Amino acid sequence: MKISKAAAAAAVAVALSLTATACGGSSDTASDAGASGGGGKDKIVVGIKYDQPGLGLKTPDGKYTGFDVDVATYVAKELGYEPNQIEFKQAVSAERENLIKNGDVKFVVATYSINDKRKEQVDFAGPYFLAHQDLLVRADDSSITKAEDLNKKKLCSVTGSTSAQNVKTKLAPEADLLEQGGYSECLTGLENKAVDALTTDNSILAGYAAQEKNKGKFKLVGLSLSNENYGIGLKKGDKELQTKINAALKKMVEDGSWQKAVDKNLGPANFKSEPAPQITEGS
């Protein structure tokens, strides 16, 4: 009797899975993807940034490149998924928690700094990278050499980012803060002199400055305004997934893949990264 019940339950599960797939993939499908580290699942949905060169970028031909993409691909493989089974979904800063809580993605690898406020809503694995907040200014601008110089000037960052609030509340309270949906809009404003500086992590800024079309236009001020430990965001309470991702990150560092990914994606900008940080989440 137990066997027939199990068989019936399995049949229902398969039918529901096929129905969800036929409907174009619902949040339930994304939530289920990767739940058992592969186990015959068709795909896993991972949140990344689409507009961060060197970290998470969707190219015009529909490909995905960057350090975060390489980390996500490595972790997914350790969970049992090949690259062609990964579905990348855009995770803008302001929506990362919602994507995770709603089950639209299994995890998020999107320059996602670990902090206590975010940990009230989601859990993290990692950290897997240590960045520092900096400022990007126009190459010919010598008026900004420290954070306090932003007082009375126009500062741009993205909605939901901790970087701009850090400057506004702690370092330059009289800065005129403009928040945009993505860093690309901030960069356009900086080039057009609509804003005076863009603030976020030095890794992100280096990626933009190193783009062929931007060479010679911008420069990093060279500040370390904060420590930003990038973690992989996942649904709160999913300790099994957290443990598996942490193990994958440790393996990535130990086998040299982590350093290769850093060199490949951020090396061209002459960016010197910190060593891989110790994993603290879930311990």
Side-chain angles (χ1 to χ4, degrees):
M1 189 67 180
K2 289 182 180 178
I3 295 174
S4 62
K5 280 186 178 181
V12 171
V14 170
L16 288 173
S17 174
L18 292 173
T19 301
T21 304
C23 293
S26 67
S27 60
D28 290 337
T29 306
S31 177
D32 187 49
S36 58
K41 305 296 184 184
D42 291 332
K43 67 176 182 177
I44 188 168
V45 185
V46 181
I48 60 168
K49 290 294 181 68
Y50 277 14
D51 66 341
Q52 291 180 350
L55 292 158
L57 182 70
K58 183 177 182 179
T59 60
D61 59 358
K63 295 180 180 179
Y64 303 93
T65 65
F67 176 70
D68 278 354
V69 174
D70 288 348
V71 170
T73 301
Y74 189 100
V75 169
K77 187 170 184 177
E78 290 299 303
L79 294 176
Y81 295 87
E82 294 302 319
N84 62 0
Q85 294 176 290
I86 303 171
E87 178 184 321
F88 288 117
K89 189 178 184 69
Q90 186 174 25
V92 298
S93 294
E95 288 299 316
R96 289 175 297 202
E97 287 84 10
N98 287 335
L99 288 171
I100 294 168
K101 290 192 294 183
N102 294 338
D104 295 323
V105 296
K106 192 62 182 175
F107 58 84
V108 168
V109 190
T111 57
Y112 201 2
S113 298
I114 301 170
N115 63 39
D116 290 340
K117 184 177 180 181
R118 288 170 177 164
K119 286 169 71 171
E120 291 175 2
Q121 301 184 67
V122 300
D123 279 340
F124 287 94
Y128 64 92
F129 193 85
L130 174 59
H132 302 288
Q133 185 183 347
D134 201 352
L135 303 173
L136 189 72
V137 298
R138 288 180 291 277
D140 60 355
D141 187 351
S142 58
S143 67
I144 301 173
T145 60
K146 57 186 184 297
E148 290 77 10
D149 293 335
L150 291 170
N151 283 313
K152 308 294 186 183
K153 291 184 179 290
K154 294 179 180 177
L155 172 67
C156 191
S157 195
V158 299
T159 304
S161 169
T162 57
S163 299
Q165 295 303 325
N166 184 46
V167 171
K168 183 73 176 173
T169 59
K170 299 178 182 177
L171 303 170
E174 294 181 52
D176 184 5
L177 177 59
L178 174 66
E179 293 184 291
Q180 297 281 19
Y183 294 108
S184 298
E185 292 95 322
C186 283
L187 204 69
T188 299
L190 184 59
E191 183 175 5
N192 296 338
K193 299 186 177 181
V195 298
D196 300 299
L198 162 58
T199 188
T200 188
D201 306 341
N202 51 8
S203 54
I204 299 172
L205 297 176
Y208 280 114
Q211 279 188 298
E212 192 66 36
K213 65 180 180 179
N214 293 329
K215 285 183 178 178
K217 293 182 180 179
F218 309 106
K219 64 182 179 182
L220 275 78
V221 175
L223 307 177
S224 294
L225 302 178
S226 68
N227 293 327
E228 304 296 335
N229 282 291
Y230 294 167
I232 295 181
L234 59 140
K235 187 165 286 189
K236 200 163 184 63
D238 195 340
K239 298 300 181 184
E240 181 181 358
L241 181 61
Q242 184 184 50
T243 299
K244 289 180 178 179
I245 293 177
N246 279 338
L249 293 174
K250 289 178 183 176
K251 183 178 177 181
M252 188 177 187
V253 173
E254 291 168 357
D255 69 13
S257 298
W258 183 90
Q259 191 60 54
K260 287 180 181 178
V262 171
D263 293 342
K264 180 183 79 172
N265 293 293
L266 299 175
N270 293 319
F271 176 76
K272 306 299 181 186
S273 73
E274 299 275 4
Q278 288 293 115
I279 290 175
T280 58
E281 299 304 303
S283 58

